Amino acid sequence: DAGVTQSPTHLIKTRGQHVTLRCSPISGHKSVSWYQQVLGQGPQFIFQYYEKEERGRGNFPDRFSARQFPNYSSELNVNALLLGDSALYLCASSLASGHPDTQYFGPGTRLTVL
Amino acid sequence: DQQVKQNSPSLSVQEGRISILNCDYTNSMFDYFLWYKKYPAEGPTFLISISSIKDKNEDGRFTVFLNKSAKHLSLHIVPSQPGDSAVYFCAASVVDTDKLIFGTGTRLQVFP
């Protein structure tokens, strides 16, 4: 069975640009969460979506937004990129909300902002 | 404000010996604790978890201990194997949420 997939694998953008990252959850999983991992730090929670509705939001500026589609895939959008947005962006999926130990992480998208 | 702390950035252990990774937390509302393992170019992989109503959970070579009064948990790996070499993250969550608060990680190296 396919695990959580994310695209693209790597991405290079310049300051001020916009980026869209994509995540496909494991088949049957209805919850998707997004995390940002800056080099040398642990992953930091950005958003959770369950059944296409936002269930949680971390301490990130409004430049960050996300959505979940009817097929439960998800997009993370970041506007007006800053150098500090350079990080590994991780997506995690789970069957249902409220079961953190059943989250499966994708390999991540490495974003570099120049 | 780092609510979950892993104060040892790295740990080196000989194969066959015990590895002990430590984690401290500050938020009393955390009710579930997890350990993840991460290899380069891969996402974190769930290893073992413990509910706040327990003080120990075992799964094969991995045991997690929770000391709520000290707000401290530890992961014991015994015996350690070279394949255990990875970065280990401690994480915590609040009941009925998927939001995980991660520590900064400990890089474990198991040498022959």
Side-chain angles (χ1 to χ4, degrees), chain A residues 13-102:
Chain A
K13 292 284 189 178
T14 56
R15 281 177 297 174
Q17 284 190 312
H18 162 270
V19 68
T20 297
L21 310 181
R22 294 177 176 84
C23 171
S24 292
I26 292 172
S27 178
H29 284 196
K30 299 181 179 180
S31 176
V32 170
S33 297
W34 287 95
Y35 290 82
Q36 179 197 64
Q37 186 181 9
V38 173
L39 195 62
Q41 301 293 318
Q44 188 172 357
F45 176 80
I46 310 175
F47 286 109
Q48 184 207 352
Y49 276 78
Y50 177 65
E51 288 282 14
K52 301 178 285 295
E53 291 191 1
E54 183 182 302
R55 280 295 187 94
R57 172 185 283 257
N59 189 24
F60 280 81
D62 292 343
R63 300 184 295 108
F64 288 77
S65 63
R67 55 180 175 168
Q68 187 177 33
F69 298 99
N71 66 353
Y72 302 109
S73 67
S74 178
E75 280 183 356
L76 175 70
N77 294 284
V78 187
N79 292 323
L81 285 167
L82 303 174
L83 295 180
D85 295 331
S86 295
L88 180 68
Y89 288 84
L90 294 162
C91 172
S93 77
S94 61
L95 273 170
S97 183
H99 298 275
D101 59 332
T102 62

Side-chain angles (χ1 to χ4, degrees), chain B residues 12-39:
Chain B
S12 190
V13 172
Q14 189 173 29
E15 181 179 6
R17 306 290 275 253
I18 185 171
S19 296
I20 300 176
L21 296 92
N22 294 302
C23 178
D24 297 295
Y25 63 96
T26 57
N27 191 338
S28 299
M29 297 301 292
F30 290 147
D31 73 324
Y32 211 79
F33 302 91
L34 308 92
W35 284 94
Y36 283 84
K37 177 180 180 181
K38 188 178 186 300
Y39 293 116

Side-chain angles (χ1 to χ4, degrees), chain B residues 71-96:
Chain B
K71 293 190 176 67
H72 177 84
L73 64 156
S74 61
L75 174 67
H76 293 211
I77 306 173
V78 57
S80 301
Q81 299 173 353
D84 295 330
S85 297
V87 177
Y88 288 78
F89 289 99
C90 168
S93 74
V94 176
V95 64
D96 291 336

